[in-house]
Amino acid sequence: MVETVRNVSSYSVRQICQTLGFNRSLIYSHPKSDPSQGELREKIEALCLEYPKYGYRRIRALLLRQGYNVGTRRVARLMKEANLSVAVKRACQTTHSMERRQPWQNRLKTLDICRCDQVWVGDITYVRLKGRFIYVALLMDVFTRMIRGWQLSRHLTQTLTLKPLEQALAQSVPEIHHSDQGVQYLSSAYLSTLRHHGIEISVARRGCPWENGYAERLIRTLKEEEVHLNDYHDIHEARERIGQFITHVYNQKRPHSALGYLTPMEFQRETLS
């Protein structure tokens, strides 16, 4: 018996696993207890935001790597319920079919942006909130740098982008709307709203975040000057603090070098006077 133990101990873990047909990672992994529905949904949404092209199989693989013991069907169902699986595929197919009739492209490449409400840009970012994520959608007028609309939500639903759009359109209407190719911006409801107001659609190419650079810089400012400096206790505090920053700090108090160090409110007032 002693001799047998000695013989076994002389083999490496890799050799033993190969002989027995085991995945070596199983020896070192410590799966978490079965996650709650809410916890798993939040984690899936965070991964889908970070990896927008991943399907449910890859998302499940990422979850398994992080210790979440979850089946493929459950991940697929939660992604479908959150409009992150089936809806994403449909959005891509619908977009391609529409492109054949009405091509979408980045119309900002050679555009001289010289007036208010000529171009609005939109984007989504996430905010970490005590072990989970919440999401912020922003809509900004490029010429004045004024944030026209925003929304904060627990989930990546269509309302996240549609609500700030409707909020902004109640005040003014842009000539061009520019965004990335996220499903929230290519949904039928969102596109129908743009068309209803006669707004031209401009879209950045896939995998080219710099083509939505105005929105990227806005999000970086929000993160550096507000989100990263605070530890929100709950979603209500996050909504209040972020809203305070957008409305009273960014729009009214923060000078922009691109605006001659005027605030967006001052620059807009000066432009319209």
Side-chain angles (χ1 to χ4, degrees), residues 73-119:
R73 290 185 178 181
R74 189 178 182 190
V75 174
R77 175 175 57 80
L78 290 175
M79 289 180 66
K80 182 177 180 180
E81 290 175 358
N83 199 27
L84 296 172
S85 180
V86 175
V88 170
K89 294 180 181 179
R90 289 177 179 171
C92 292
Q93 294 170 358
T94 303
T95 300
H96 293 158
S97 64
M98 288 181 177
E99 284 177 349
R100 289 194 289 269
R101 299 194 304 270
Q102 182 181 347
W104 294 337
Q105 57 185 348
N106 181 0
R107 303 190 180 278
L108 307 190
K109 285 183 178 181
T110 58
L111 183 67
D112 179 23
I113 302 175
C114 57
R115 55 186 175 273
C116 290
D117 299 322
Q118 182 183 3
V119 177

Side-chain angles (χ1 to χ4, degrees), residues 29 31 57 59-71:
S29 65
R57 291 184 179 87
I59 293 297
R60 176 179 179 262
L62 293 176
L63 290 168
L64 290 176
R65 287 187 180 186
Q66 296 180 20
Y68 289 90
N69 186 16
V70 60

Side-chain angles (χ1 to χ4, degrees), residues 113-241:
I113 302 175
C114 57
R115 55 186 175 273
C116 290
D117 299 322
Q118 182 183 3
V119 177
W120 287 0
V121 293
D123 205 352
I124 300 171
T125 188
Y126 66 90
V127 175
R128 186 181 296 274
L129 184 63
K130 292 194 177 300
R132 57 170 297 181
F133 294 95
I134 55 178
Y135 306 94
V136 182
L138 299 165
L139 199 59
M140 182 186 75
D141 173 48
V142 173
F143 185 65
T144 64
R145 300 300 199 273
M146 282 282 290
I147 298 178
R148 298 294 192 206
W150 67 279
Q151 172 71 359
L152 186 149
S153 175
R154 289 184 174 89
H155 305 297
L156 282 167
T157 60
Q158 184 174 284
T159 307
L160 179 64
T161 54
L162 191 57
K163 190 169 182 179
L165 176 64
E166 294 171 343
Q167 171 189 347
L169 290 174
Q171 304 299 323
S172 56
V173 177
E175 300 169 27
I176 299 172
H177 177 284
H178 181 81
S179 70
D180 59 23
Q181 295 191 34
V183 62
Q184 289 81 11
Y185 291 108
L186 296 182
S187 68
S188 57
Y190 200 93
L191 295 176
S192 295
T193 302
L194 295 177
R195 294 194 190 96
H196 176 73
H197 288 83
I199 301 169
E200 187 176 0
I201 300 170
S202 174
V203 177
R205 291 175 297 168
R206 291 189 182 278
C208 301
W210 59 88
E211 291 196 357
N212 199 19
Y214 294 110
E216 292 282 338
R217 286 192 290 274
L218 169 61
I219 285 176
R220 185 175 62 202
T221 298
L222 175 65
K223 289 289 189 73
E224 292 177 350
E225 300 183 17
E226 166 57 30
V227 175
H228 292 166
L229 301 180
N230 292 284
D231 184 18
Y232 310 117
H233 291 91
D234 53 39
I235 190 171
H236 305 292
E237 182 183 358
R239 182 178 286 112
E240 180 180 354
R241 295 293 298 274

Side-chain angles (χ1 to χ4, degrees), residues 34-44 74 77-78 81 155:
D34 189 32
S36 67
Q37 192 88 331
E39 178 189 356
L40 187 57
R41 182 183 289 110
E42 292 160 11
K43 189 61 183 177
I44 287 174
R74 189 178 182 190
R77 175 175 57 80
L78 290 175
E81 290 175 358
H155 305 297

